Amino acid sequence: GDSVTQMEGPVTLSEEAFLTINCTYTATGYPSLFWYVQYPGEGLQLLLKATKADDKGSNKGFEATYRKETTSFHLEKGSVQVSDSAVYFCALSGPGGGNKLTFGTGTQLKVEL
Amino acid sequence: DTGVSQNPRHKITKRGQNVTFRCDPISEHNRLYWYRQTLGQGPEFLTYFQNEAQLEKSRLLSDRFSAERPKGSFSTLEIQRTEQGDSAMYLCASGTYNEQFFGPGTRLTVL
């Protein structure tokens, strides 16, 4: 079945550091890929998405590129802020099946001054 | 606020009791999903509706769980004879073809 693997956290960075959170997936067909973010005490929010190979999703300075050849969708940001501290979830939805989401286990990011 | 809402936000119950949660989706969304999230894990799919029809149920959803969406608007998730293993955050999402928006969740604690 479909699955998503994320790098384990927590990831601790200093403000203005470069961020990469790795995500790889296994799926049949051509899934859509997503990054969701969960800030402390809040619900899941869609951060960005990509629906086909080589698409780049971007939002709030975060980017991720859909790499079919490496089945990856790594999240990057050039300069993190303390306000980016949150848990980040990589997810996919396969064709058919109502587009239900399959999530990774999440990666906690802590950004310090 | 036109986002997804869930009630109650917190529920504490004793083992063996029944509980019911409600989800009010974004009004123009015809798809509604339920997920369960335990501590340190990503959400796991439970079931989904397109309008009032329940089109898929996960194997995670035992026969103690039932979900309805009677008029294609709000949905309820009922857990009968709760067990301690049911303690989790229950998330509802609504969406269109390729995007889902999540509610704040209902945190269930079974004592």
Side-chain angles (χ1 to χ4, degrees), chain A residues 20-35:
Chain A
T20 300
I21 301 178
N22 291 336
C23 171
T24 57
Y25 67 90
T26 302
T28 53
Y30 300 97
S32 295
L33 301 174
F34 306 83
W35 278 100

PDB file of all heavy atoms in Angstrom, chain A residues 20-35:
ATOM      1  N   THR A  20      16.062  21.674   5.656  1.00  0.00           N
ATOM      2  CA  THR A  20      15.616  20.596   4.778  1.00  0.00           C
ATOM      3  C   THR A  20      14.981  19.528   5.645  1.00  0.00           C
ATOM      4  O   THR A  20      15.583  19.094   6.635  1.00  0.00           O
ATOM      5  CB  THR A  20      16.791  19.947   4.001  1.00  0.00           C
ATOM      6  OG1 THR A  20      17.424  20.927   3.192  1.00  0.00           O
ATOM      7  CG2 THR A  20      16.279  18.828   3.111  1.00  0.00           C
ATOM      8  N   ILE A  21      13.776  19.118   5.293  1.00  0.00           N
ATOM      9  CA  ILE A  21      13.129  17.960   5.909  1.00  0.00           C
ATOM     10  C   ILE A  21      12.872  16.961   4.794  1.00  0.00           C
ATOM     11  O   ILE A  21      12.154  17.259   3.839  1.00  0.00           O
ATOM     12  CB  ILE A  21      11.817  18.323   6.617  1.00  0.00           C
ATOM     13  CG1 ILE A  21      12.060  19.358   7.712  1.00  0.00           C
ATOM     14  CG2 ILE A  21      11.173  17.058   7.204  1.00  0.00           C
ATOM     15  CD1 ILE A  21      10.790  19.811   8.431  1.00  0.00           C
ATOM     16  N   ASN A  22      13.481  15.792   4.929  1.00  0.00           N
ATOM     17  CA  ASN A  22      13.369  14.790   3.864  1.00  0.00           C
ATOM     18  C   ASN A  22      12.057  14.022   3.926  1.00  0.00           C
ATOM     19  O   ASN A  22      11.554  13.698   5.014  1.00  0.00           O
ATOM     20  CB  ASN A  22      14.526  13.792   3.959  1.00  0.00           C
ATOM     21  CG  ASN A  22      15.851  14.423   3.606  1.00  0.00           C
ATOM     22  OD1 ASN A  22      15.909  15.428   2.892  1.00  0.00           O
ATOM     23  ND2 ASN A  22      16.937  13.860   4.092  1.00  0.00           N
ATOM     24  N   CYS A  23      11.529  13.727   2.755  1.00  0.00           N
ATOM     25  CA  CYS A  23      10.314  12.933   2.637  1.00  0.00           C
ATOM     26  C   CYS A  23      10.430  12.071   1.399  1.00  0.00           C
ATOM     27  O   CYS A  23      10.723  12.584   0.305  1.00  0.00           O
ATOM     28  CB  CYS A  23       9.098  13.841   2.527  1.00  0.00           C
ATOM     29  SG  CYS A  23       7.560  12.978   2.118  1.00  0.00           S
ATOM     30  N   THR A  24      10.204  10.777   1.549  1.00  0.00           N
ATOM     31  CA  THR A  24      10.119   9.873   0.408  1.00  0.00           C
ATOM     32  C   THR A  24       8.804   9.108   0.502  1.00  0.00           C
ATOM     33  O   THR A  24       8.223   8.989   1.584  1.00  0.00           O
ATOM     34  CB  THR A  24      11.292   8.879   0.364  1.00  0.00           C
ATOM     35  OG1 THR A  24      11.328   8.140   1.586  1.00  0.00           O
ATOM     36  CG2 THR A  24      12.623   9.595   0.170  1.00  0.00           C
ATOM     37  N   TYR A  25       8.363   8.590  -0.635  1.00  0.00           N
ATOM     38  CA  TYR A  25       7.066   7.944  -0.644  1.00  0.00           C
ATOM     39  C   TYR A  25       7.089   6.669  -1.476  1.00  0.00           C
ATOM     40  O   TYR A  25       7.966   6.463  -2.327  1.00  0.00           O
ATOM     41  CB  TYR A  25       5.995   8.898  -1.184  1.00  0.00           C
ATOM     42  CG  TYR A  25       6.166   9.245  -2.642  1.00  0.00           C
ATOM     43  CD1 TYR A  25       5.565   8.474  -3.636  1.00  0.00           C
ATOM     44  CD2 TYR A  25       6.942  10.334  -3.037  1.00  0.00           C
ATOM     45  CE1 TYR A  25       5.738   8.767  -4.975  1.00  0.00           C
ATOM     46  CE2 TYR A  25       7.119  10.637  -4.376  1.00  0.00           C
ATOM     47  CZ  TYR A  25       6.515   9.856  -5.337  1.00  0.00           C
ATOM     48  OH  TYR A  25       6.703  10.153  -6.674  1.00  0.00           O
ATOM     49  N   THR A  26       6.111   5.837  -1.216  1.00  0.00           N
ATOM     50  CA  THR A  26       5.824   4.648  -2.026  1.00  0.00           C
ATOM     51  C   THR A  26       4.356   4.699  -2.380  1.00  0.00           C
ATOM     52  O   THR A  26       3.509   4.863  -1.487  1.00  0.00           O
ATOM     53  CB  THR A  26       6.119   3.355  -1.242  1.00  0.00           C
ATOM     54  OG1 THR A  26       7.475   3.349  -0.823  1.00  0.00           O
ATOM     55  CG2 THR A  26       5.839   2.136  -2.107  1.00  0.00           C
ATOM     56  N   ALA A  27       4.059   4.624  -3.657  1.00  0.00           N
ATOM     57  CA  ALA A  27       2.661   4.692  -4.082  1.00  0.00           C
ATOM     58  C   ALA A  27       2.520   4.053  -5.445  1.00  0.00           C
ATOM     59  O   ALA A  27       3.460   4.030  -6.234  1.00  0.00           O
ATOM     60  CB  ALA A  27       2.183   6.142  -4.133  1.00  0.00           C
ATOM     61  N   THR A  28       1.324   3.575  -5.716  1.00  0.00           N
ATOM     62  CA  THR A  28       1.015   3.112  -7.065  1.00  0.00           C
ATOM     63  C   THR A  28       0.514   4.304  -7.868  1.00  0.00           C
ATOM     64  O   THR A  28      -0.112   5.220  -7.329  1.00  0.00           O
ATOM     65  CB  THR A  28      -0.059   2.021  -7.035  1.00  0.00           C
ATOM     66  OG1 THR A  28      -1.187   2.522  -6.292  1.00  0.00           O
ATOM     67  CG2 THR A  28       0.457   0.767  -6.361  1.00  0.00           C
ATOM     68  N   GLY A  29       0.809   4.298  -9.139  1.00  0.00           N
ATOM     69  CA  GLY A  29       0.358   5.386  -9.978  1.00  0.00           C
ATOM     70  C   GLY A  29       1.093   6.679  -9.693  1.00  0.00           C
ATOM     71  O   GLY A  29       2.255   6.676  -9.276  1.00  0.00           O
ATOM     72  N   TYR A  30       0.389   7.771  -9.876  1.00  0.00           N
ATOM     73  CA  TYR A  30       1.005   9.086  -9.747  1.00  0.00           C
ATOM     74  C   TYR A  30       0.254   9.887  -8.691  1.00  0.00           C
ATOM     75  O   TYR A  30      -0.741  10.544  -8.986  1.00  0.00           O
ATOM     76  CB  TYR A  30       0.970   9.797 -11.105  1.00  0.00           C
ATOM     77  CG  TYR A  30       1.710   9.020 -12.162  1.00  0.00           C
ATOM     78  CD1 TYR A  30       1.043   8.176 -13.038  1.00  0.00           C
ATOM     79  CD2 TYR A  30       3.095   9.095 -12.250  1.00  0.00           C
ATOM     80  CE1 TYR A  30       1.738   7.440 -13.991  1.00  0.00           C
ATOM     81  CE2 TYR A  30       3.795   8.365 -13.191  1.00  0.00           C
ATOM     82  CZ  TYR A  30       3.103   7.536 -14.065  1.00  0.00           C
ATOM     83  OH  TYR A  30       3.784   6.809 -14.987  1.00  0.00           O
ATOM     84  N   PRO A  31       0.754   9.830  -7.451  1.00  0.00           N
ATOM     85  CA  PRO A  31       0.032  10.530  -6.378  1.00  0.00           C
ATOM     86  C   PRO A  31       0.223  12.036  -6.431  1.00  0.00           C
ATOM     87  O   PRO A  31       1.124  12.536  -7.110  1.00  0.00           O
ATOM     88  CB  PRO A  31       0.681   9.955  -5.114  1.00  0.00           C
ATOM     89  CG  PRO A  31       2.094   9.657  -5.536  1.00  0.00           C
ATOM     90  CD  PRO A  31       1.972   9.166  -6.973  1.00  0.00           C
ATOM     91  N   SER A  32      -0.608  12.742  -5.700  1.00  0.00           N
ATOM     92  CA  SER A  32      -0.355  14.138  -5.378  1.00  0.00           C
ATOM     93  C   SER A  32       0.371  14.175  -4.038  1.00  0.00           C
ATOM     94  O   SER A  32       0.155  13.314  -3.179  1.00  0.00           O
ATOM     95  CB  SER A  32      -1.665  14.919  -5.281  1.00  0.00           C
ATOM     96  OG  SER A  32      -2.300  14.963  -6.536  1.00  0.00           O
ATOM     97  N   LEU A  33       1.219  15.167  -3.852  1.00  0.00           N
ATOM     98  CA  LEU A  33       2.055  15.244  -2.653  1.00  0.00           C
ATOM     99  C   LEU A  33       1.803  16.549  -1.916  1.00  0.00           C
ATOM    100  O   LEU A  33       1.566  17.595  -2.543  1.00  0.00           O
ATOM    101  CB  LEU A  33       3.528  15.130  -3.037  1.00  0.00           C
ATOM    102  CG  LEU A  33       3.916  13.847  -3.774  1.00  0.00           C
ATOM    103  CD1 LEU A  33       5.368  13.913  -4.239  1.00  0.00           C
ATOM    104  CD2 LEU A  33       3.704  12.632  -2.885  1.00  0.00           C
ATOM    105  N   PHE A  34       1.871  16.485  -0.609  1.00  0.00           N
ATOM    106  CA  PHE A  34       1.503  17.618   0.236  1.00  0.00           C
ATOM    107  C   PHE A  34       2.474  17.745   1.414  1.00  0.00           C
ATOM    108  O   PHE A  34       3.032  16.754   1.891  1.00  0.00           O
ATOM    109  CB  PHE A  34       0.101  17.422   0.837  1.00  0.00           C
ATOM    110  CG  PHE A  34      -0.980  17.155  -0.174  1.00  0.00           C
ATOM    111  CD1 PHE A  34      -1.192  15.873  -0.656  1.00  0.00           C
ATOM    112  CD2 PHE A  34      -1.782  18.182  -0.620  1.00  0.00           C
ATOM    113  CE1 PHE A  34      -2.195  15.618  -1.598  1.00  0.00           C
ATOM    114  CE2 PHE A  34      -2.785  17.940  -1.550  1.00  0.00           C
ATOM    115  CZ  PHE A  34      -2.988  16.653  -2.034  1.00  0.00           C
ATOM    116  N   TRP A  35       2.615  18.966   1.881  1.00  0.00           N
ATOM    117  CA  TRP A  35       3.184  19.230   3.198  1.00  0.00           C
ATOM    118  C   TRP A  35       2.129  19.967   4.013  1.00  0.00           C
ATOM    119  O   TRP A  35       1.567  20.986   3.562  1.00  0.00           O
ATOM    120  CB  TRP A  35       4.454  20.076   3.110  1.00  0.00           C
ATOM    121  CG  TRP A  35       5.669  19.271   2.799  1.00  0.00           C
ATOM    122  CD1 TRP A  35       6.285  19.122   1.585  1.00  0.00           C
ATOM    123  CD2 TRP A  35       6.438  18.490   3.724  1.00  0.00           C
ATOM    124  NE1 TRP A  35       7.373  18.297   1.703  1.00  0.00           N
ATOM    125  CE2 TRP A  35       7.489  17.895   2.992  1.00  0.00           C
ATOM    126  CE3 TRP A  35       6.355  18.238   5.095  1.00  0.00           C
ATOM    127  CZ2 TRP A  35       8.439  17.060   3.594  1.00  0.00           C
ATOM    128  CZ3 TRP A  35       7.286  17.423   5.683  1.00  0.00           C
ATOM    129  CH2 TRP A  35       8.325  16.842   4.943  1.00  0.00           C
TER     130      TRP A  35
END
